[in-house]
């Protein structure tokens, strides 16, 4: 199946997709979902790391002040 054939199919057309079309569509969706999940996880982990750094700075100054 060519990319053009796959991209020309519409679920709302009233036609049932062939097994080959459905498999190709689901494979593309799975790849995209995996990539989006990876990007979202990376963003989340970066936010957590930033939060940890901010908390360490905040509490580090408080602990350092209490030792003086």
């Amino acid at each position: 199946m060519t990319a053009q054939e796959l991209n020309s199919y519409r679920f709302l057309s009233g036609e049932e997709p062939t097994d080959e079309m459905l498999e190709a569509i689901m494979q593309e969706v799975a790849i995209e979902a995996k990539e989006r999940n990876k990007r979202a996880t990376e963003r989340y982990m970066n936010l957590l790391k930033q939060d940890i750094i901010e908390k360490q700075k905040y509490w580090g100054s408080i602990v350092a002040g209490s030792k003086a």
Side-chain angles (χ1 to χ4, degrees):
M1 166 170 296
T2 66
Q4 183 178 9
E5 289 173 327
L6 182 62
N7 291 333
S8 67
Y9 177 76
R10 300 289 178 255
F11 280 107
L12 300 175
S13 67
E15 299 175 25
E16 291 291 324
T18 64
D19 288 343
E20 183 182 28
M21 284 178 157
L22 197 52
E23 181 180 351
I25 291 167
M26 295 304 290
Q27 187 174 21
E28 281 188 24
V29 168
I31 290 168
E32 183 179 342
K34 185 176 179 179
E35 290 172 0
R36 290 178 71 178
N37 183 46
K38 181 181 175 185
R39 287 192 307 267
T41 301
E42 288 172 356
R43 283 193 309 267
Y44 178 70
M45 295 306 287
N46 287 335
L47 287 172
L48 284 179
K49 288 175 186 176
Q50 290 173 0
D51 190 44
I52 289 169
I53 291 168
E54 290 174 15
K55 298 274 193 275
Q56 286 175 336
K57 286 179 184 177
Y58 173 77
W59 287 105
S61 65
I62 291 175
V63 170
S66 68
K67 289 182 180 180

